[in-house]
Amino acid sequence: MSHLSVLELDFDEVKDALLTYLQAQTEFLDYDFTGSALNTIIDLLAYFIHYAGVQANFALRESFLESAQLRKNVATIAKELGYFPAQAKSAKTNFKLTLDLTGQSSPPTTITVPRGTVFVSKLENGSTITFVTFDDNPLVDEGVAAGNPATKILSGTVFIAQGTISNKFFIVNDFDQRFILDQPNIDTDFLSVSIRPNEASLDVTAWEHAKKITTVGPSTEAFFISEYGDSIEIYFGNNSIGKALNIGNFIDVEYIVTQGSQGNGLSQFELSQNIATYARNLFTISNVEKTGEGADRESLDSIRFIAPLSYQRQNRIVTIDDYKSAVLENFSNVRAINAWGGEDADPPEFGKVFVSVAPVVGDKVSPTTKKSIERDILSRFNVVGITPQIVDPEYLTINLITTAFYRKDKTILKPSQIASLAQGAIEDYFLSSVFDYKQSFKYSKLLTAVDAVHSSIINSLTDVTISKSFIVTSNVSATYTIKFLNALKEQTIQSNIWLNTGSNNQQIKSSATINGNIGQLDLYINDTLTKTNVGTVDHTTGLVTLTGFNPNALTLGQIITFTAEPAIPDVSIQRNNLARLGTNVVTMEATER
Amino acid sequence: MVFLEHKPIHLLVKRMFPRFVSENYSQMILFFEKILAYMEQEGQPYNSIAHLLEYNDVDSTTEHFNAAFKNQYLQNFPDSLTADIDLIIKNIRSFYLSRGTEESYRFLFSALFNAIVNFKYPKFNILKCSDGLWFTPQYIVLTDAVNNIPPQLSGGSNYNIAGLIDKFITGTTSGAVAFVDNEITLSAQGLTYGGSGAVKAISIVEKEGLFIPGEQILIGDTLIDNGDFSAGTNNWSIFPALDSGIFTINNQLVLKQALGNIKNKYIYQSIAIEEDTQYWLRYSMIEADSPETKITVGYNPGTNEIYDSGNLGTTSVLQTVLLNATSIGKSAFYVSIFNQMPDANDSVTYDGISLIKEDTSNTPLLFVANIAAESGILSGISQWKDVRGFLSEGDKINDKEIVLQDNFFYQDFSYELKSTISSNVFDSIIKDLLHPAGMKMFSQLLATDELTFFSLRESSYTDLVFANTNPDTITRITSGIPFNILFRKGDIITINTSSITNEGEGQYLVDNVTATVITLAANENLVIADLTGIIVQISSSLGIIDLFGTDAQIVYDYTRQLDFDFNSTQEFYPNTEIDYIMKLGFGKTWSDAESSREQNEIIINDWSSIVIGDFETFATSRFGFIDSAELIIS
């Protein structure tokens, strides 16, 4: 059998094939299978064959990772590959919580914000979202000098995670019993399991989540988890790998059910309950970090992509794909990721591997997270002697000023409505095709997207410029390099304008090409050339170098932005560069033809 | 595909109905049987469902599902991988676990290309200014803790301590651990240990922690005792303290000030002398912590009637003096080393002391004398180990294989793959599957036994010059050995034959028939067989055609050249018969190559004009895209 002859799944063709077969049988040569009674029977049989065929087809296709459609089956196949799909992760943050007990008689010197204390925030759509403390957090006396009335302020850092705490109990009554939590979006990082010998017992033992089977011995009190449908199943050892449960044991499972990525990016919180005997309005929240790290359950496409790579990785990190898949497998907050060996860096840095992670929320991951990825994920499993390094993404802003020519007689929409549609199409194009590492901005694809927005659009043109920002230090002379990594048109580069101490406008522009593809950068004050040769721009590589650059009285958060026209309207993206949409202006121009 | 045996269900239909039905309504039964038989056909539902397990088994699945298996288990393998996919999938885990190792590269080259691969690590060719390992060997004298007798070379407690070699020992008190790598002999003349003569000691390496004199020694969890070496059960410990004695190690004399007061003592050696004879005394002190040691020669221990060196200082000293032993009635004198070092733990190292009779060439006498030593734990003379670059005989700075680091090829994170497969073919596959990120991969193309190579020296050719457009004619006048013509792109050959047999590899056998036109691609090789009177008309767009063979009045020798003398770097595969190796590259013409042959390099800049016997076809097709090639000729 050289290939599987896939069953025809169109009913009419199923029936025709059946008829053809029956009519060819010598025993039924004189039968008219299209007669009313026999036709009904043939219809019935054809439906049966049709259903059976569909069933067989589905059964086969659900057997393989690339064709399975049901989450349960995809997760099961991934399980065979030793891959546990990433579950929903709670958004997290911390802040300072202060309790002002000034003037109260005999105030305590410390109180505890207990595990499960609820804080709330609001989403953009106005709905409320819940956060909880997942540990006890102490507030302690700040030691402010006593005044009159007596000053007493307690404060401390409180850590919260988005979601609600849930419990589920099981009593072991069968060795084949399954322990399924029956709730979606469980953050397994906060899943705890306590075991009692029986329901009445007060002897509670906390069992650990076994993440590596190699660390689990016959007596290790550990539990394992796997995905089960939309939820999570926990299971236990067999006294060989992990300690086994006994009949009658009482299992108490506690976990956080989260809304995943919805909880990201929030910084306004309210305490929604009293703590101990203190009313919630006595507490104030300050020093809030924006919430982050919230993630939804891994998508089917992601599982299909990462599970084979995870199997290939075998808990080792050797190739570039290993670095990427290891981060994706262990760190959910990834919008885009790229990795490259030091041999491909510019300049080369042999013995290093660079990984750039663009988070779902924010422009870059925090230094703590970067260290955690380097130390806890990459360095644990990578090749000895190779140093992994997480680098921040650098954003190359692509600015577009588009003119769309349209036929008035072909539409009843206002030009502004069509322009709005075109802007949306441009944003969609960026989201789907540009905002990822190694993706490139393609001019023709963009115009195709714009032209397809509405039938009245005849054609369109777009002016493309690219911008890159960098942070400078005022009143310090230093050398700065900015890499556009794209060829630039000569004498098109210029910086934004900033004010110096004398409130004069300062700007850097390229006004001359001095040596081949090298352009000279000059400093202008109030649009007058004041100092020449403050730097150079390599028009071929897009490398801008400012030598001995010493800006003063720089405003706008110490950031300077250079903008230039690319030599060709296509923009390529390399290494840790990511493209994002900047200016997006669409002007409609009516035309007769 | 091998299916499990499935019983057809249509045969069961008759049994499913009552007998009267099957007898009275046989057509209906037949109808149902036919329907079920239809469903059992290949591609129909029952057939598909019955074979679900086989489809899910990599051994028995169909080609249709091979891609699904491949995407699941061999994601980064090339799509062209078709052979033995089930075998590879079943064993792929061990491959993944070994990624990055030479073994994994070899497997992949074998599985994908049926080729072998060798490795070169440029880091081993980098010259480093100080690449040796500076280490100080340590030695431990063990002793029977009861009798306090170290193992001796002979007599007394002649224990065989060689049993400790290749074992880790642990000090019971200190917890220090060391690996015993050898047994050595320590001279111990005058050593106060209850015995006499030299003792045996162990040399230790990979030491962690500090052993303590007097502590007992464990191997694993077991105390070692003299029963481990001979009869007896007394536990063994590190010799606690040598209140007098000295050890020579590597023929060097180490005096080490003890914790006790041994200052102002001396060690000496008695030397038999002849009257009225002169002797050369030579001593060499390498280093000293304190200046107060000196050499004296006298007729009694510690005296200086004949010679007094004075305090030697702390810097190295090499001195040779002529001594007159003229005193009548004296048959011996004493060479003494005074130990006047003031501080505990001071030490001095002598690189031997010798005494030679002036008019003879006697072997110098190594002088070993008695002095206190601290304990049975001794440090040897620090020395270089595993030297590279400057220090060893084999790796000198002018070694052509040793180069300076260049931060490209010659650096710590690079490797080179040598294979018969072009890097264009494997580069992306290797990078996706095996290449350790952070390292630089290079490749070198090797040609192996597929290459047929003929003598360069004995082959000959003739250029026939043609008008660019007009055909010319070569009339073959002899029969026998074929001749070869090398064509360039655009050459057209007209042969008065009509039967031409393609012999493969660009060779055309022309039979005895009438005219035919052949247009050959660049570098194709025309071989005209034994046909007298054949007329070959050739037109060349370039005007030059190279002709080999008898028609050029040159006998072309197909005998393989065996004494080709290239002084090349040899890169051999295991089990490959190698005649010689030749490096090729771009840049020179064939005649240049001929003249530069002895330089072990033939550089060719225009492959279309290469004429090397039958070699050109291969060379063009295999090496037309590379900068250089290393050919292994077999």
Side-chain angles (χ1 to χ4, degrees), chain A residues 1-8 14 17-18 21-22 25 27-28 31 33 38 41-42 45 48-49 52-53 55-56 59-61 63-66 77 80-81 304-305 308-309 311-314 316-323 340-344 348-353 383 385-386, chain B residues 1 3 27-28 30-39 41-49 51-52 55-56 61-65 67-69 71-77 89 92-93 95-101 407-408 411 413 430-441:
Chain A
M1 185 176 182
S2 60
H3 67 280
L4 175 67
S5 174
V6 179
L7 186 70
E8 179 55 62
V14 170
L18 179 60
Y21 166 77
L22 289 172
Q25 304 302 310
E27 296 89 340
F28 304 125
Y31 278 59
F33 289 100
L38 204 47
I41 294 174
I42 294 298
L45 291 169
F48 171 68
I49 293 171
Q55 191 70 22
L60 275 170
R61 298 205 172 276
S63 302
F64 295 98
L65 189 63
E66 66 171 9
I77 299 166
E80 291 170 8
L81 294 171
R304 289 194 194 99
F305 174 67
L309 290 178
Y311 180 76
Q312 176 179 311
R313 200 160 64 75
Q314 294 288 332
R316 300 175 69 236
I317 297 177
V318 179
T319 66
I320 285 296
D321 273 351
D322 293 342
Y323 283 87
W340 63 98
E343 71 273 23
D344 295 324
E349 290 188 59
F350 302 110
K352 276 189 170 180
V353 175
V383 176
I386 303 292
Chain B
M1 189 174 91
F3 282 121
Q27 278 299 90
M28 186 188 75
L30 184 62
F31 179 75
F32 282 121
E33 285 179 346
K34 290 292 182 185
I35 292 293
L36 290 176
Y38 174 73
M39 293 178 67
Q41 291 180 346
E42 185 176 317
Q44 296 299 336
Y46 175 71
N47 181 280
S48 297
I49 293 169
H51 293 115
L52 268 180
Y55 293 136
N56 276 293
T61 194
T62 66
E63 290 177 15
H64 185 83
F65 290 110
F69 275 106
N71 288 341
Q72 206 157 300
Y73 295 100
L74 309 175
Q75 193 175 71
N76 280 330
F77 277 71
I89 284 176
I92 198 62
R93 190 165 171 272
F95 166 75
Y96 287 145
L97 283 170
S98 66
R99 284 177 312 137
T101 64
N407 207 32
F408 183 65
Q411 41 100 5
F413 296 97
I430 293 296
K431 284 186 174 170
D432 286 345
L433 281 168
L434 295 177
H435 171 68
M439 301 190 75
K440 182 81 175 170
M441 182 177 78

Side-chain angles (χ1 to χ4, degrees), chain B residues 459-510:
Chain B
S459 66
S460 301
Y461 63 93
T462 298
D463 283 348
L464 300 183
V465 179
F466 297 89
N468 283 357
T469 54
N470 297 328
D472 209 333
T473 301
I474 303 170
T475 302
R476 186 170 175 98
I477 50 177
T478 58
S479 61
I481 301 172
F483 66 92
N484 299 334
I485 304 173
L486 179 71
F487 299 95
R488 296 170 179 82
K489 189 174 184 180
D491 291 343
I492 299 174
I493 302 96
T494 303
I495 304 172
N496 61 343
T497 66
S498 63
S499 175
I500 300 170
T501 305
N502 186 350
E503 296 293 298
E505 290 289 323
Q507 296 186 351
Y508 291 80
L509 179 64
V510 183

Side-chain angles (χ1 to χ4, degrees), chain B residues 445 582-590 592-593 596 600-607 610 612 615 619 623-631:
Chain B
L445 186 62
M582 185 171 74
K583 288 183 178 175
L584 292 180
F586 290 104
K588 291 183 181 178
T589 64
W590 159 239
D592 291 332
S596 67
N600 185 30
E601 186 176 50
I602 296 177
I603 302 173
I604 299 158
N605 63 351
D606 180 2
W607 288 103
I610 301 168
I612 317 175
F615 171 62
F623 301 107
F625 307 101
I626 59 171
D627 290 335
S628 63
E630 188 170 73
L631 304 181

Side-chain angles (χ1 to χ4, degrees), chain B residues 310-332:
Chain B
N311 286 337
L312 294 174
T314 57
T315 55
S316 62
V317 172
L318 174 62
Q319 189 64 268
T320 304
V321 293
L322 191 59
L323 306 178
N324 289 314
T326 56
S327 299
I328 303 301
K330 303 290 183 183
S331 59

Side-chain angles (χ1 to χ4, degrees), chain A residues 358-369:
Chain A
V360 176
V361 179
D363 286 345
K364 56 187 179 183
V365 294
S366 68
T368 308
T369 306

